[in-house]
Amino acid sequence: MPFLNSSYSRCTRRQFLRAAGVTIGLPILDGLIPRSRADVNPGPPRRMVCICTPLGVHPQYFFPEQVGRDYQLSPYLELLKDFRNDFTVISGLAHPGVGSSHDSMYSFLTAAPHPEIRAGFRNSISLDQFAAEQIGLQTRFASLSLSAEGFGLSWTCSGALVPSDLYPASVFARLFLEERPDEVQAQERRLRDGRSILDSVRDQARQMQPKLGMRDREKVDEYFTSVRELERRMAAAEEWAKKPKPNVDSQQPQNNMNSADLIGKTRLLFDLSHLALQTDSTRLISMMLLGTSLVPPIDGVSLGHHDLSHHGQDPGKIEQLKKIEVEKMKTVQEFLAKLRQTEEQGESLLDRTMVLFSSNLGNASNHSSKNLPVLFAGGGFRHGQHMAFDPDNPPPLSNLFVTMLQRLGIQTEKFGSSTGTLSGLEQRG
């Protein structure tokens, strides 16, 4: 965490706060963006799963040719025909200012511009973490950041990458396996000690304030508003630590250590996500699927997935790519089926869970970040349509993000590069 900057007339550059042997550095105050907690509407629990397939999907097999509700299913959407009225396919969307590059994955859930220009790029908060700040305390885990890739989608408000969970067995243990009594007691002590430290450094910060100008006093107040929010989260975590974890009729999964097994790893993540949502252990999940250069164990595939996605219109490569992506879409179908078959208070879990399946690339063959493939399912919307926007002048993808945040009950009008909500999406009832 950065130290104080030179705006403090009576403070050294390396000033920080100490308590109980722990150091908490103050922020670079001039770069701090004021934030306020959004109001959250009450209502039935709403959930969100955001999935990125980092090598995209072949556009000709994904997007329908017709627009509206009477469109003919494309080859990939044909695999989801039983869910036609449970999803909307959207074409034309993109993140403005995000260039054509694999690095666009950094901005998939943040909309931060120009990740392709690595020098000086600073990310912003991701969609799931923005939501977690508002509704995360309602569940044992504010969010889950899952990945088969070794790199996740979730970023904090300061632009730091949230470590992703790579091993389903470990996530299952955190979700459902009880700790020993001594482990629970140790966790409670850590939480109490953490709040004590925050209390101490906040007192020290108040003593510093007479030395500061008005602007920097305001910024320190904003910073310690975040500290108080952390204290609130720690108090909630202590309460959750006292409650038993949910019982599930499932065995702890075995980690899939085959780095090429795109489909096997995806199924594990989807199964784990279903359990987490079904038990209301979390309501927010981000998921990065595998985008390896290795050859996946799929019949008829002899080249690496990355090579096939960069096919250069080679018919043989496209045919092999289709085999991979058909299997991937089958796992999406299985996930939607599990959600629809799970009932919660007279509704299906799918009706209460928004599932965003998309990619940071619209066409992996040329790294294009335009016309992103968007499959938006569940969440209680009036689905069953193909919404098409002009790929040369589309609304920001973040408009869909604002719509999703509002469906979660979060009263916000802005996220990332948004200009409003996404017109054409209507809620049922």
Side-chain angles (χ1 to χ4, degrees):
M1 186 176 294
F3 297 124
L4 287 169
N5 66 16
S6 58
S7 63
Y8 286 102
S9 58
R10 301 186 184 181
C11 302
T12 67
R13 179 174 175 80
R14 293 185 55 82
Q15 181 143 5
F16 41 81
L17 305 175
R18 298 180 183 274
V22 175
T23 300
I24 297 182
L26 288 171
I28 299 176
L29 296 175
D30 285 344
L32 190 63
I33 300 175
R35 301 180 58 81
S36 61
R37 182 175 175 80
D39 293 329
V40 179
N41 285 336
R46 299 287 176 190
R47 303 174 177 88
M48 178 175 72
V49 180
C50 299
I51 305 158
C52 178
T53 178
L55 293 177
V57 292
H58 192 54
Q60 285 74 19
Y61 295 150
F62 178 79
F63 290 118
E65 295 182 1
Q66 300 83 19
V67 177
R69 296 190 175 275
D70 296 325
Y71 70 90
Q72 182 177 347
L73 292 168
S74 65
Y76 289 169
L77 298 182
E78 181 68 28
L79 300 167
L80 306 177
K81 62 182 179 181
D82 292 341
F83 296 87
R84 181 182 181 115
N85 293 325
D86 292 307
F87 70 80
T88 295
V89 60
I90 309 172
S91 58
L93 297 183
H95 284 309
V98 174
S100 295
S101 165
H102 281 298
D103 292 339
S104 57
M105 74 175 69
Y106 301 150
S107 298
F108 176 67
L109 287 184
T110 70
H114 302 304
E116 72 280 4
I117 305 175
R118 295 193 180 188
F121 172 70
R122 178 169 179 170
N123 217 335
S124 53
I125 192 167
S126 57
L127 176 65
D128 61 313
Q129 295 306 299
F130 183 92
E133 288 187 353
Q134 319 304 322
I135 66 172
L137 296 185
Q138 297 174 4
T139 53
R140 184 183 295 271
F141 297 94
S143 64
L144 291 180
S145 177
L146 306 178
S147 177
E149 180 71 9
F151 182 92
L153 299 171
S154 301
W155 300 79
T156 69
C157 61
S158 61
L161 182 65
V162 175
S164 54
D165 289 306
L166 307 179
Y167 301 107
S170 300
V171 180
F172 184 94
R174 286 197 294 117
L175 290 172
F176 306 119
L177 300 185
E178 295 289 356
E179 294 91 352
R180 301 190 312 269
D182 60 316
E183 293 174 332
V184 174
Q185 293 172 3
Q187 180 181 356
E188 291 175 348
R189 283 196 301 272
R190 288 193 296 269
L191 291 167
R192 287 194 299 270
D193 290 344
R195 287 212 308 280
S196 174
I197 292 168
L198 291 173
D199 288 341
S200 298
V201 297
R202 189 174 59 242
D203 291 340
Q204 293 180 42
R206 290 196 183 102
Q207 296 172 17
M208 291 171 52
Q209 286 190 333
K211 305 175 184 179
L212 307 177
M214 179 178 295
R215 178 175 172 80
D216 282 339
R217 283 201 300 270
E218 291 175 352
K219 291 190 174 185
V220 169
D221 285 342
E222 291 166 0
Y223 177 66
F224 279 94
T225 296
S226 298
V227 172
R228 287 191 292 273
E229 177 72 7
L230 178 58
E231 288 179 316
R232 198 171 67 87
R233 290 174 181 271
M234 292 173 68
E238 186 172 355
E239 291 303 311
W240 280 111
K242 299 174 182 177
K243 299 177 182 179
K245 294 180 179 180
N247 293 319
V248 292
D249 188 20
S250 300
Q251 296 296 317
Q252 185 174 11
Q254 296 293 314
N255 292 324
N256 186 336
M257 305 308 292
N258 183 351
S259 298
D261 190 3
L262 163 66
I263 304 306
K265 286 178 174 288
T266 299
R267 281 203 172 96
L268 277 177
L269 294 182
F270 280 156
D271 288 347
L272 186 63
S273 297
H274 173 247
L275 285 176
L277 297 170
Q278 181 182 23
T279 56
D280 205 28
S281 297
T282 190
R283 296 177 185 173
L284 303 166
I285 299 175
S286 68
M287 188 185 307
M288 175 73 88
L289 303 187
L290 193 62
T292 179
S293 297
L294 302 176
V295 180
I298 296 173
D299 288 343
V301 176
S302 59
L303 297 174
H305 185 197
H306 182 270
D307 182 21
L308 294 174
S309 71
H310 292 61
H311 48 73
Q313 301 303 319
D314 181 313
K317 288 187 175 182
I318 292 175
E319 185 59 30
Q320 289 196 38
L321 178 64
K322 183 180 181 181
K323 294 180 185 296
I324 295 174
E325 293 180 344
V326 162
E327 295 304 314
K328 185 187 303 182
M329 295 304 295
K330 287 180 181 178
T331 66
V332 175
Q333 187 276 338
E334 293 166 3
F335 181 53
L336 296 181
K338 285 177 180 282
L339 295 178
R340 194 166 70 177
Q341 292 163 6
T342 304
E343 183 178 327
E344 180 183 72
Q345 299 172 333
E347 290 187 283
S348 76
L349 194 55
L350 181 58
D351 284 334
R352 293 185 172 183
T353 303
M354 293 174 288
V355 178
L356 173 66
F357 175 83
S358 184
S359 178
N360 56 293
L361 294 177
N363 186 341
S365 187
N366 61 7
H367 293 170
S368 173
S369 56
K370 291 185 176 182
N371 194 21
L372 301 179
V374 176
L375 180 78
F376 182 56
F381 288 86
R382 291 186 67 243
H383 289 299
Q385 61 177 323
H386 172 206
M387 296 172 56
F389 296 94
D390 180 0
D392 293 324
N393 187 31
L397 177 57
S398 291
N399 283 14
L400 174 59
F401 293 174
V402 173
T403 298
M404 296 169 70
L405 289 169
Q406 291 183 0
R407 188 56 169 161
L408 289 171
I410 299 169
Q411 296 305 300
T412 183
E413 302 296 330
K414 180 70 177 174
F415 180 86
S417 55
S418 69
T419 59
T421 56
L422 190 67
S423 59
L425 272 178
E426 301 175 1
Q427 299 177 14
R428 290 204 314 262

